[in-house]
Amino acid sequence: MSWKRNRKRFVYDQILNEIESGMFKLPNIQEVDLNRELAINERILREIFQDCSDIVFRHIDSQGGMKLLLIYIDGLSDSMTLDQAVLKPLTLDVLQDSPESIYKVEQMIEQQLVAIAQVQKEPKIINMVNGILRGRVAFLVEGSRKALLVEIGGSEKRNIEEPTAEAAVRGPRDGFTETLRINTSLVRRRIRHVNLKMESLTVGKYTQTDLVIAYIKGIVPNSVVEEVRKRIQRIQIDGVMESSYIEEFIEDFTWSPFPQVQNSERPDVVCSSLLEGKVAIFIDNTPFVLIVPMTFWSGLQAADDYYERSIYTTFIRIIRYSLFNIALLFPSFYVAITTFHPQLIPTNLLISVAAAREGVPFPTVIETILMEFMFEGLREAGIRLPKPIGSAVSIVGALVIGEAAVQAGIVSAPVVIVVASTGIASFAIPRYNLGTAYRFLRFPILILAGIIGLYGIVFGVFSILIHLLKLRSFGVPYLSPVAPLIPKDVKDVFIRVPRWIMVSRPELITGANKKRAQEGQQPSPKRGR
């Protein structure tokens, strides 16, 4: 065994020489274990954390002469818990510098912290460094070749609040935060089953961002889980700041205006998606959770569609689908009718439109594009400005500019009405990213309508439909269950039937377990007696 000790001593001497010569590099210690001498470990670690003012090296000496070293990041650990639960008992106990005392110290630390934190023994220097960077406290004891990594939470966290991007009239009020484990716990609290699996991964060379893949085993197809895992593991990037970084790497077709990965900050939406056979991807430091696969129809469904009675939800969905067609086609239809097909307008209405357009210097398509551009600019300005003045500026700006433009004869009043109605209709789309796709597509269809009239609108709509028919999200057709048509799944697309009718999960999304409710549960006065 002496040659092994000599070999290890040679490795440490080589590392110390590299430190002295300024040639030390972190990859050189990938497989190096901790040394029994506390001074050598401290010197290596101080070199690794050089110029890191937030790294705390804290020496502890017991009354018996035992030496300990604590290393942690200031602000990521609860210093009060650390002092009361560990350091105070250690400093008061008389511990001699002996192998028995080393074991006793390790046992004491584990016993003191087992009720409040996770304790992990780590012999590798590089693993201990990674643990410290993740907010853990490292305990090094003189004479021991293992570090104790203790997770004592202490960083600032945002409280659980109601989601702002997905407001609902009825339903749960809690939303995800920027803390990964809080988010997974919100889902675990709702789905209390051992088949809810959560796999941990790390993405980002420098950020080392934690990521969790959540799914329900038996409901989700294994091929989808494997594909999600494979796409995430092949990501090579310096850092991940938000879930959109991951989304752009895993979506099927980057150049499509339509989103193929759903995002949500509502735990109830994520849980219902998991129960349908989808996969959720949690990313640390963001409240938005990714859900795959995504279909076109899921982007048009709101959370409270499933908290109100089916007859109300069906009525609201009909209105919503009408509004999203208005948001896409209304300006183009107005331009095509007034420019190329005035014979389709009733005579009295045509006279009113012609009178309103008298004196306007621009063609209809130009003034419509100008007003659309200005409306989008006001909407963007309202988002970027501080909240107290953002909404006021966007609303007042729209009123003032629209009225002034009409009074000046730059645009006609019907165009202002059309653009305002289109903007209001676009707000009815529940998913912001899908609404953005419609805002983007409105302009090319508007230009086509200004060039060749209704034929341009038909050409644009058919081009969009062909693209949607070709689009896939993790192998699932984007327009399913309408194309391809699956009659039993259409009952939750254009309408929302009662829950006792929806006894099966979506055919193309779910794995082997396709039943979610027992049949024959229709309410009846006779059964209630």
Side-chain angles (χ1 to χ4, degrees):
M1 298 296 292
S2 60
W3 67 272
K4 289 186 178 180
R5 288 194 295 269
N6 293 334
R7 170 61 182 169
K8 290 180 179 179
R9 187 67 200 185
F10 173 77
V11 171
Y12 293 121
D13 290 341
Q14 187 178 10
I15 292 174
L16 295 177
N17 290 333
E18 289 178 356
I19 293 175
E20 292 291 342
S21 62
M23 301 295 292
F24 176 79
K25 294 182 180 179
L26 191 59
N28 294 346
I29 61 167
Q30 290 290 337
E31 299 298 329
V32 178
D33 293 337
L34 288 164
N35 196 285
R36 293 188 184 276
E37 296 182 30
L38 197 59
I40 293 178
N41 294 330
E42 181 179 359
R43 190 172 182 184
I44 295 173
L45 291 169
R46 284 189 180 275
E47 183 66 23
I48 293 173
F49 292 116
Q50 186 180 13
D51 299 327
C52 297
S53 60
D54 57 340
I55 302 294
V56 178
F57 287 81
R58 187 170 178 179
H59 288 273
I60 304 295
D61 295 327
S62 71
Q63 295 183 8
M66 175 63 69
K67 296 181 179 181
L68 295 90
L69 177 62
L70 272 68
I71 308 172
Y72 58 92
I73 298 179
D74 189 18
L76 293 185
S77 300
D78 189 349
S79 57
M80 184 176 296
T81 303
L82 185 64
D83 290 338
Q84 296 297 325
V86 182
L87 301 186
K88 188 175 180 180
L90 286 175
T91 53
L92 294 178
D93 204 343
V94 180
L95 296 171
Q96 303 296 328
D97 190 0
S98 64
E100 293 78 10
S101 296
I102 294 172
Y103 178 75
K104 186 177 180 181
V105 170
E106 293 178 350
Q107 291 294 108
M108 183 182 299
I109 294 174
E110 289 189 83
Q111 290 172 4
Q112 291 290 339
L113 293 175
V114 69
I116 59 172
Q118 298 178 359
V119 181
Q120 174 187 351
K121 289 185 178 181
E122 187 54 61
K124 300 288 185 184
I125 292 180
I126 190 66
N127 293 339
M128 187 191 70
V129 170
N130 290 334
I132 294 172
L133 293 174
R134 291 180 180 276
R136 296 182 175 91
V137 180
F139 287 82
L140 295 176
V141 183
E142 180 71 37
S144 175
R145 298 183 63 89
K146 292 182 179 180
L148 292 177
L149 294 178
V150 181
E151 189 169 350
I152 305 177
S155 60
E156 293 296 326
K157 301 174 182 176
R158 183 168 65 91
N159 294 327
I160 297 175
E161 301 171 351
E162 183 176 357
T164 56
E166 296 177 79
V169 177
R170 181 178 178 180
R173 300 300 182 189
D174 56 343
F176 291 126
T177 69
E178 286 75 18
T179 307
L180 179 65
R181 283 307 167 196
I182 291 179
N183 295 343
T184 56
S185 67
L186 290 174
V187 173
R188 182 70 73 175
R189 190 172 67 181
R190 287 171 166 83
I191 303 179
R192 302 171 182 176
H193 200 282
V194 294
N195 282 351
L196 175 58
K197 307 300 180 182
M198 294 189 177
E199 300 180 8
S200 297
L201 297 172
T202 303
V203 180
K205 179 180 178 181
Y206 292 101
T207 60
Q208 292 291 298
T209 305
D210 292 324
L211 179 149
V212 169
I213 301 173
Y215 58 92
I216 300 179
K217 188 176 181 180
I219 295 180
V220 64
N222 294 330
S223 58
V224 174
V225 177
E226 183 61 33
E227 183 65 22
V228 172
R229 191 185 298 119
K230 183 170 63 175
R231 293 189 188 187
I232 292 176
Q233 288 176 342
R234 72 187 182 197
I235 297 176
Q236 301 293 328
I237 189 174
D238 282 349
V240 175
M241 299 292 107
E242 211 273 334
S243 58
S244 62
Y245 282 56
I246 304 296
E247 179 179 348
E248 291 192 32
F249 277 101
I250 65 175
E251 62 185 355
D252 288 62
F253 189 63
T254 302
W255 305 111
S256 173
F258 294 94
Q260 299 128 65
V261 179
Q262 181 180 341
N263 64 76
S264 177
E265 55 179 339
R266 294 185 64 95
D268 54 329
V269 172
V270 172
C271 291
S272 62
S273 299
L274 292 173
L275 292 170
E276 284 187 348
K278 298 182 180 180
V279 177
I281 305 171
F282 296 80
I283 297 97
D284 201 11
N285 302 317
T286 175
F288 289 93
V289 176
L290 304 181
I291 303 171
V292 293
M294 177 186 180
T295 64
F296 177 78
W297 312 107
S298 61
L300 295 173
Q301 295 170 355
D304 46 3
D305 283 359
Y306 300 92
Y307 300 133
E308 296 290 351
R309 296 178 62 209
S310 61
I311 188 171
Y312 302 151
T313 300
T314 300
F315 173 68
I316 293 299
R317 279 191 180 176
I318 293 173
I319 294 177
R320 187 183 301 147
Y321 286 7
S322 302
L323 288 175
F324 92 76
N325 283 318
I326 290 174
L328 179 65
L329 301 175
F330 193 22
S332 306
F333 187 76
Y334 172 78
V335 169
I337 289 294
T338 56
T339 305
F340 294 94
H341 314 283
Q343 67 275 13
L344 298 178
I345 307 176
T347 304
N348 293 335
L349 180 59
L350 180 60
I351 294 173
S352 299
V353 172
R357 280 195 45 78
E358 186 177 359
V360 176
F362 302 110
T364 305
V365 63
I366 299 298
E367 63 172 327
T368 306
I369 291 176
L370 288 175
M371 288 304 298
E372 284 284 356
F373 183 81
M374 187 57 62
F375 187 89
E376 293 298 331
L378 287 171
R379 173 154 49 181
E380 191 68 17
I383 294 174
R384 304 304 165 201
L385 286 171
K387 286 185 179 180
I389 62 174
S391 58
V393 167
S394 59
I395 295 173
V396 173
L399 293 174
V400 172
I401 291 176
E403 180 67 21
V406 172
Q407 292 293 332
I410 298 175
V411 297
S412 61
V415 168
V416 176
I417 296 173
V418 169
V419 172
S421 301
T422 303
I424 294 172
S426 66
F427 292 137
I429 301 176
R431 304 293 171 192
Y432 178 79
N433 49 5
L434 187 61
T436 304
Y438 269 75
R439 290 162 55 189
F440 170 77
L441 291 172
R442 188 188 307 152
F443 286 93
I445 295 182
L446 183 58
I447 293 172
L448 287 172
I451 297 174
I452 52 177
L454 289 177
Y455 299 104
I457 296 178
V458 173
F459 176 78
V461 170
F462 270 90
S463 298
I464 294 173
L465 286 176
I466 292 171
H467 172 70
L468 290 175
L469 289 169
K470 294 170 58 178
L471 206 57
R472 296 288 187 274
S473 176
F474 285 80
V476 176
Y478 199 60
L479 288 181
S480 65
V482 175
L485 181 62
I486 304 175
K488 67 176 183 178
D489 290 343
V490 180
K491 53 196 171 190
D492 190 26
V493 175
F494 303 106
I495 63 173
R496 207 273 282 176
V497 298
R499 296 188 183 279
W500 46 268
I501 296 179
M502 295 190 295
V503 296
S504 60
R505 297 185 177 90
E507 181 71 26
L508 295 179
I509 297 176
T510 314
N513 185 358
K514 297 189 180 297
K515 179 167 285 191
R516 59 178 160 191
Q518 294 295 325
E519 298 180 0
Q521 298 190 67
Q522 180 179 358
S524 173
K526 295 180 180 179
R527 296 176 185 175
R529 292 176 183 174

